[in-house]
């Protein structure tokens, strides 16, 4: 969901079938590669990356499961932090493009903190729900700005200056 919203910004130029197929193959790696490229995202190039990533993902999952059984428990636990580091790296690349890119991260962090402190959700679910709500924050902000605050200057352009 998070990645699809970013890719959708360029997908309006694509033929209709690509709109439905592209989101199903998005992985962290495909999204990072596609969004780091300065050229417009080509649906055929994106689908090639998706097929390659999914093939590697499934093969890596099978290998990782088998090899992971041999790792010490302490090392298995330490690898759990890798997902959080990945999201931080993706966020950092977008903050360089626009300061408003940090808005979803701030919302997600606040929601996650609220869930953890209240005990409403376990940490894994709190993270997942917070990421989804954070992903919806920027489009919601843009929609509210267009509807109610259209007379204000464009903060994204001002922040990039």
């Amino acid at each position: 969901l998070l990645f699809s919203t970013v890719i959708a910004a360029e997908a309006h130029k694509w033929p209709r079938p690509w709109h439905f197929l592209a989101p199903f193959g998005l992985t962290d790696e495909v999204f990072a590669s596609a969004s780091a490229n300065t050229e417009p995202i080509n649906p055929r190039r994106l689908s090639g990356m998706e097929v390659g990533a999914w093939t590697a993902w499934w093969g890596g999952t099978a290998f990782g499961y088998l090899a992971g059984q041999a790792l010490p428990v302490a090392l298995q636990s330490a690898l759990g932090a890798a997902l959080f580091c990945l999201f931080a790296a993706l966020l950092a690349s977008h903050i360089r493009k626009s300061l408003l890119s940090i808005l979803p991260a701030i919302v997600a962090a606040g929601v996650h903190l609220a869930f953890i402190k209240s005990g409403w959700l376990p940490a894994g679910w709190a993270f997942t729900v917070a990421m989804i709500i954070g992903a919806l924050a920027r489009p919601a902000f843009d929609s509210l700005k267009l509807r109610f605050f259209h007379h204000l200057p464009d903060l994204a352009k001002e922040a990039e200056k």
Side-chain angles (χ1 to χ4, degrees):
L1 180 66
L2 174 68
F3 300 148
S4 298
T5 58
V6 175
I7 298 296
E10 295 196 31
H12 69 293
K13 303 171 194 166
W14 300 353
R16 177 71 68 196
W18 292 104
H19 290 232
F20 302 107
L21 296 173
F24 290 104
L26 281 176
T27 63
D28 305 337
E29 299 81 11
V30 170
F31 175 75
S33 297
S35 63
N37 194 353
T38 57
E39 298 173 9
I41 300 170
N42 180 316
R44 290 184 183 185
R45 181 174 176 266
L46 182 68
S47 65
M49 288 191 299
E50 290 174 346
V51 168
W54 276 101
T55 302
W57 188 302
W58 282 99
T61 298
F63 176 77
Y65 173 77
L66 297 171
Q69 302 301 313
L71 294 177
V73 175
L75 184 55
Q76 290 177 13
S77 298
L79 290 174
L83 179 64
F84 300 105
C85 294
L86 173 67
F87 283 116
L90 291 172
L91 176 63
S93 69
H94 284 281
I95 291 172
R96 282 184 282 177
K97 293 178 187 173
S98 169
L99 288 176
L100 284 180
S101 295
I102 202 166
L103 178 69
I106 292 170
V107 170
V111 169
H112 186 259
L113 184 63
F115 283 143
I116 294 298
K117 290 294 184 183
S118 68
W120 288 344
L121 290 173
W125 278 107
F127 181 76
T128 303
V129 171
M131 289 298 292
I132 292 170
I133 293 172
L136 297 174
R138 178 66 189 266
F141 173 79
D142 290 342
S143 177
L144 287 172
K145 184 180 181 291
L146 286 173
R147 185 168 229 193
F148 299 108
F149 304 104
H150 51 84
H151 59 283
L152 294 176
D154 190 346
L155 297 177
K157 289 180 182 173
E158 293 294 322
E160 291 173 0
K161 287 184 181 177

